[in-house]
Amino acid sequence: MTDEPELAARTMLRQGPGLVVLTGPPGCGRTTLLRRIAAAVPGPVHLGGGLAMLATVPALALSRAVRARLPADDVPLLAEAVRSRVRGGLLVLDDLQYADPATVAALPHLARSIRVLVALRTPHRLPEPLATALRSAARAWLPVPPLTGEQAAALVRQTAGGLDDATAAAVVARAGGNPLAVIALARQSAAGRAPAGEDIDQVAYAIATALADLPRPARTALAALGLLGRPAAPALLGTGAADLVTAGLVTAEPGGALLPVSAYVAETAAGLLDGSARAEMHARLADLTPPAEAARHLAAAGDPAAAYRTALSAADRAHGAERCALLLFACGLDTTVDARVRLAAADAALATGRAPDAADVLRPLAATTGTAPTDLLALEAAVLRGEALLQAGDPAAARETVRAVPDTAAGAVVAARDRVLLLSTLATEPMSARELADKIAIRHPQPPPGITAALAAVRATHRLPGWDTALAEAAGFADPLIARWSSWLLVEHLAAEGRLVDAAGAALRAAETAGRELAYGWQTRFLAAADWALALHGPDFPPALSWDGVEGVLRRAANLTDLALPAQARAYATAATALIEADTGLLAAARARLDGVAAHPAAAWVAREAAWLDGQPDRAARVPADAGTGLLAGLHAITARWAAYDLGEPGDPAIPVDLPVPARRTLTAWAVGSGLDAAADSWQPVALREQIRCLIAAGLTGTDRDTAVAALLRAEELADTAGLTVLAGRARRGLRRHQIQRDTRSPRSDGRLTRRELDVLRLVAAGEPTRRIAGQLGISAETVDTHIRASMRKLAARTRTEAAALAFATTPAGPQPLDSHFGSPFDTHEDGR
C-alpha cells in the first residue's frame, strides 16, 4: 500500500468535518488502513461497522460505533443522535457494504458537522441512489491501492523471513499486490507447498490453503462466523472457537463475543462449504439465533415457508423500521404470501417513509383489482398503493391505480380512493380539482379525516374563503401524518399570502407538537420555516410569539444549519440566516452560507438578492424557473426589476399571478412608473426591508424632487433603525443624487470610534474589500480608507485587520444590527455616521 490515501485522509480529517471513504476489493487492506488512520487523527474514535447477516437491522453500524440504541425511523433524527455523541471525535465505520440504508443515508447529514471515516468494499450492493449520494457527500473517495513491489516484498519477509529471494519474488508476483494474498501465499511457501495453478483465484486460494491447516471444528466455527456476518458468542461457535483465538483469526469484543479479524476470510471459509453443507449450517444457526435473524438463515437454508413463518413471528414482537423490514422480507420470499401480510407490510412501509417499497409490495394484489372488483383485500391494496405512489411523487400513476375501484366498495375504501383521486388531480390539474372536490364533498357529507384534509388542500390552493380555518382544523387531527401534512400546507400557504407572522405562529405550534412526539424531521422543518418567515418580516415581532428579535432568529437559524436536517428545513434555515447577514452587510458570510445549498425558491431568491445588494445586478436579473408561488414569486420579480433598473435595461412588464397585495402593487408601480411610495405603505405589516426598497425606488424614479427626497429620507431612517446597512447605504447614494449633502466627518475629540467607523470595521472583519464596503455603505472608496486609517490610529493598530479585531474584542458577539448602541467605547452619533 502506498501512503498517499493515508496522508490524504489524515489531512482532510484534521481540517474539520467531512466524509472520507476508503474503497477497495477484498483483502486489499482497507480495515488495516482504516484503523491506522483512526489512530493517527486526534480526538476520541467511535468505531463501528456493518455486519453481513444483519445488513437490514436499522442503524446497527452506527449503534455499534456510539454504543447506544438509535432512532432509525427518521434519518435526520438518527444523524443528530449520532452527531450529539461523536461531536469533536471521529466516527469510523468499517464494512459499509453491509450497513442498512438508514445508516448510509445518514452519512451525508453527519459529514456536514462531524468527521467521518468509512471503508467500503468493492464491488458493493448499495442501492444506486444511496451510492450516488454517498459519493457526492464525500470530501475524498480514496481507492486503497495495491502494494508496491517493495512493500509486498517487505510483507513477505515479515511473514516468512526464511524464504529465498526467488521464492519471495514469486509470491510477490502471484499475489498481485493484495496484502491478504501476500500473507497467505508466503505462509504456504514457507510450509513447502507448491504454488497454485494460474487459473485459480489467488486470494481465494491463499485463504483456502491457510484454512486447510486449521482443525475441522475451527474451520466450521470460522465458516459459521462468515454466515452469521456478526460477532458471536464462543458457545454458539462450538469447540473450534478456542482454536480460532489461538490462530489469531478472531478477536474478542467487550462482553466476550468473537469477531473475525478479517470478515473476508470468514466469508471465504463459508464459501468453501459445498451447497448442502452450507444449507445445513444455516439451518443449525437458525436454531441458535433470535427469530429475526433465524428467518434469514432459514431462507438461506432453502426453507422459505419456515422463514416466512419465523419472520412474521418476529414482526409481531417488533415495531417501527425493524417490523417494516421483517414484513417486507417475508413478502419477498418464494412462498405463498397472505394478502393481509402484504397490506400490513405496506402500512408499515408508509409509516416509516418507504413509499416506493409500499407500492412495490402491493403490486401483486393491486393488479387483480380490475378482474375482481368485489375482492375487498384487492380493493384495499389498490387504494393503499395509490396513496404510496402519491407520497412517492407519482400522482399520475396513483390516480390510474385507484381509478378501477368502484363506487360500490366499502365506505372506507371509497373515501381512500377519493382522497387519492383528489390530491393527484390537484398536483397535475389544479383547476380541475375544484370541480372534483365539489363532487367528493357531496359524496361524503360526513367526510373522514383524510378526505377533510384533502378538501382543505384544494381550498387553500385556490384561496377559497375559509381555507386557512379548514387547514388549521385538519392540522389538529389525531392522525399524525395527516396533521403534520396539513400543518405544513398551512404554513406555506400563509407565507405565500404574505401573512408571515401568522405563518411563523402556525409553524411554532406545529414544531412544539412534533417535538413532543419526537418527530425530529418535522420539528426542524417547522422551526426553519418560522425563522424564515420572521427573518423576512423584520423587527417588531408580536410579543405572543415569545421571539427575541432578529438576533434570536439569526442565532437559531444558524444553529439549525449546523445540524443534520431534511433538505427543506436546511433550505429555509439557510435562507433566513443568509438574508439577515446580507442585509446587515455581511455579504461574504451570506455568499459562503448559500454556496451549495439545495435548490429551493427561498434560497434562490436570497442568493439573487445578496448579489444585487453586493452591486452585481447582472447576477440578479434572471428569474429562475422555480421561483415559487405567492410572496416568493413576487420577491423574485421585484429583485429582477431592481436588477434591470441598475443595468439600465427595460424590466419585464409581466406580473406573476396570485401575488399578495403588496407585491402586486409594487410590480404594477414599477411597470407604470408611479405609485411606488403608496406601494411601500402596503409592505409595512408584511416585510420592512421591502417597504424600504419601495421607498428607495420611489426616491430614485420619482419626478418630483421634494417627494423623492422625502421617500429617501424615510427609507434611510427605517434602514438605520433596523440595522439594514446595505439598504441604508443605497438610500444615502440616492440622496446624493439629489444633492443632499451632510457632514459625515467623524468626531475625534476623545479617541472614540464613531458608528460609521464601526460599520466599516465590521465589514473589514467580514473579509470585504474596500470597493464592496463603499458600495454597501453608500460612500466612496476614499472615505472608506479614511475611516479605516482613523480607526487604526484610535486603536493603535498596525493593520486594518488588527483594527477590526481590536474593535470587536469588546463588542457583543455575533452579528448585531449596525445601529446598535455598543456602550461607552463607541460614539453613537445621531446621524448614524
Side-chain angles (χ1 to χ4, degrees):
M1 240 170 330
T2 60
D3 59 357
E4 284 83 356
E6 183 174 355
L7 290 175
R10 287 183 184 182
T11 301
M12 292 179 184
L13 291 171
R14 283 171 174 162
Q15 289 174 350
L19 171 64
V20 175
V21 181
L22 303 177
T23 67
C28 71
R30 295 183 320 280
T31 298
T32 300
L33 182 59
L34 189 82
R35 293 176 184 271
R36 197 160 66 225
I37 294 170
V41 176
V45 174
H46 302 264
L47 178 62
L51 300 171
M53 186 52 67
L54 301 182
T56 59
V57 176
L60 176 66
L62 293 170
S63 295
R64 294 178 64 205
V66 299
R67 300 289 189 263
R69 296 192 65 179
L70 297 172
D73 291 350
D74 186 332
V75 170
L77 179 57
L78 168 62
E80 181 58 19
V82 175
R83 186 201 67 82
S84 66
R85 289 170 170 83
V86 175
R87 295 184 180 273
L90 174 65
L91 176 65
V92 180
L93 299 182
D94 199 2
D95 290 326
L96 193 66
Q97 70 274 8
Y98 297 137
D100 65 289
T103 293
V104 181
L107 294 181
H109 293 282
L110 289 167
R112 299 190 187 107
S113 53
I114 64 172
R115 300 174 298 164
V116 186
L117 174 65
V118 303
L120 174 65
R121 194 184 71 188
T122 54
H124 58 74
R125 295 183 179 180
L126 297 182
E128 186 59 32
L130 288 180
T132 301
L134 186 70
R135 184 177 281 275
S136 298
R139 287 180 60 190
W141 191 277
L142 305 173
V144 178
L147 298 175
T148 64
E150 283 188 8
Q151 291 169 330
L155 185 56
V156 169
R157 289 192 295 272
Q158 178 184 339
T159 304
L163 295 180
D164 59 71
D165 292 343
T167 304
V171 168
V172 170
R174 300 185 68 78
N178 186 290
L180 185 60
V182 168
I183 293 171
L185 288 172
R187 287 175 176 170
Q188 171 230 308
S189 298
R193 297 176 183 166
E198 294 286 344
D199 57 332
I200 298 178
D201 175 77
Q202 295 302 310
V203 177
Y205 172 78
I207 295 173
T209 54
L211 296 181
D213 290 334
L214 290 173
R216 182 179 179 83
R219 292 199 303 272
T220 302
L222 190 58
L225 280 173
L227 294 179
L228 282 168
R230 65 169 176 81
L236 189 148
L237 300 176
T239 58
D243 291 322
L244 293 179
V245 173
T246 302
L249 291 170
V250 298
T251 57
E253 286 194 330
L258 298 180
L259 177 71
V261 172
S262 167
Y264 180 68
V265 171
E267 293 164 15
T268 304
L272 294 174
L273 300 171
D274 60 39
S276 61
R278 192 178 303 112
E280 181 183 349
M281 183 170 288
H282 273 299
R284 287 173 53 198
L285 290 173
D287 293 333
L288 300 172
T289 52
E293 196 174 347
R296 293 175 171 82
H297 284 298
L298 288 168
D303 191 351
Y308 176 77
R309 293 191 299 271
T310 306
L312 294 185
S313 175
D316 287 341
R317 296 189 289 272
H319 57 85
E322 184 180 359
R323 180 173 181 271
C324 171
L326 285 164
L327 289 172
L328 290 174
F329 170 77
C331 292
L333 292 169
D334 185 17
T335 187
T336 302
V337 179
D338 190 290
R340 289 166 296 184
V341 174
R342 290 192 179 276
L343 287 168
D347 268 329
L350 281 174
T352 54
R354 299 175 62 175
D357 290 330
D360 286 342
V361 78
L362 289 172
R363 192 187 304 272
L365 293 181
T368 67
T369 304
T371 58
T374 59
D375 186 340
L376 177 60
L377 292 179
L379 294 175
E380 289 181 1
V383 295
L384 191 57
R385 187 165 188 267
E387 182 75 25
L389 290 168
L390 189 66
Q391 291 190 24
D394 193 350
R399 182 167 50 189
E400 189 62 31
T401 298
V402 303
R403 194 185 297 276
V405 176
D407 292 340
T408 55
V413 173
V414 172
R417 178 204 65 181
D418 288 348
R419 169 184 163 82
V420 173
L421 285 174
L422 182 54
L423 291 177
S424 59
T425 302
L426 184 64
T428 55
E429 304 170 32
M431 298 310 298
S432 301
R434 288 187 61 174
E435 182 180 353
L436 180 59
D438 292 339
K439 295 177 180 178
I440 289 176
I442 294 173
R443 185 180 297 146
H444 302 278
Q446 294 182 327
I451 290 290
T452 300
L455 292 171
V458 174
R459 296 179 68 181
T461 299
H462 294 283
R463 296 295 189 269
L464 300 179
W467 66 265
D468 47 356
T469 303
L471 270 183
E473 290 176 356
F477 287 153
D479 186 326
L481 292 179
I482 294 176
R484 290 169 195 156
W485 177 76
S486 299
S487 295
W488 183 250
L489 284 183
L490 178 62
V491 170
E492 291 217 306
H493 283 299
L494 287 171
E497 281 272 280
R499 296 164 59 180
L500 297 175
V501 172
D502 292 340
L508 292 173
R509 290 190 294 273
E512 183 180 3
T513 302
R516 286 198 302 267
E517 298 172 1
L518 301 179
Y520 172 82
W522 280 106
Q523 180 191 23
T524 53
R525 183 189 293 188
F526 284 121
L527 287 175
D531 282 329
W532 162 248
L534 294 174
L536 186 54
H537 176 269
D540 301 326
F541 307 140
L545 292 178
S546 301
W547 228 230
D548 49 357
V550 174
E551 294 84 355
V553 173
L554 181 62
R555 183 179 64 253
R556 282 184 300 277
N559 287 342
L560 274 176
T561 60
D562 292 334
L563 306 178
L565 297 178
Q568 203 159 29
R570 180 167 296 280
Y572 274 127
T574 301
T577 309
L579 181 63
I580 294 174
E581 290 173 335
D583 276 342
T584 54
L586 300 177
L587 288 161
R591 288 193 302 272
R593 191 176 297 278
L594 289 163
D595 186 31
V597 70
H600 189 278
W605 173 69
V606 175
R608 295 177 62 236
E609 184 70 4
W612 176 76
L613 291 171
D614 199 20
Q616 303 176 66
D618 54 306
R619 297 180 56 189
R622 182 173 173 271
V623 177
D626 182 13
T629 59
L631 180 60
L632 269 176
L635 292 174
H636 273 287
I638 291 169
T639 297
R641 269 288 186 175
W642 265 112
Y645 172 82
D646 287 352
L647 293 169
E649 300 173 352
D652 185 356
I655 299 176
V657 299
D658 297 328
L659 297 182
V661 170
R664 187 175 65 252
R665 285 183 178 175
T666 301
L667 289 169
T668 302
W670 269 108
V672 302
S674 64
L676 281 164
D677 48 352
D681 293 335
S682 65
W683 282 109
Q684 190 275 329
V686 178
L688 175 64
R689 70 178 314 280
E690 294 306 312
Q691 180 187 12
I692 294 169
R693 282 217 294 178
C694 253
L695 289 169
I696 295 172
L700 294 178
T701 62
T703 56
D704 181 78
R705 181 181 183 277
D706 291 342
T707 303
V709 169
L712 289 168
L713 287 172
R714 187 180 174 206
E716 180 190 31
E717 179 187 7
L718 290 173
D720 274 336
T721 302
L724 304 180
T725 307
V726 188
L727 292 178
R730 184 92 187 208
R732 281 189 272 275
R733 288 203 302 275
L735 287 169
R736 283 199 296 274
R737 289 177 55 179
H738 291 287
Q739 289 77 48
I740 303 297
Q741 301 289 342
R742 285 166 294 176
D743 185 7
T744 60
R745 291 174 295 173
S746 302
R748 302 173 183 272
S749 58
D750 54 4
R752 294 179 297 174
L753 292 179
T754 67
R755 187 162 65 184
R756 173 59 68 195
E757 289 165 351
L758 191 63
D759 290 349
V760 170
L761 289 182
R762 185 180 301 282
L763 295 174
V764 169
E768 298 288 6
T770 298
R771 176 186 62 80
R772 284 183 174 163
I773 296 174
Q776 293 172 41
L777 298 182
I779 57 181
S780 68
E782 292 76 13
T783 303
V784 171
D785 288 335
T786 299
H787 285 311
I788 292 174
R789 287 193 296 270
S791 302
M792 290 169 60
R793 183 178 66 254
K794 292 177 182 180
L795 296 170
R798 291 171 295 178
T799 66
R800 57 193 278 161
T801 304
E802 183 182 358
L806 290 172
F808 296 109
T810 56
T811 301
Q816 301 279 345
L818 294 182
D819 65 333
S820 300
H821 294 274
F822 290 98
S824 59
F826 307 107
D827 177 26
T828 53
H829 205 262
E830 65 180 1
D831 68 356
R833 290 161 184 71

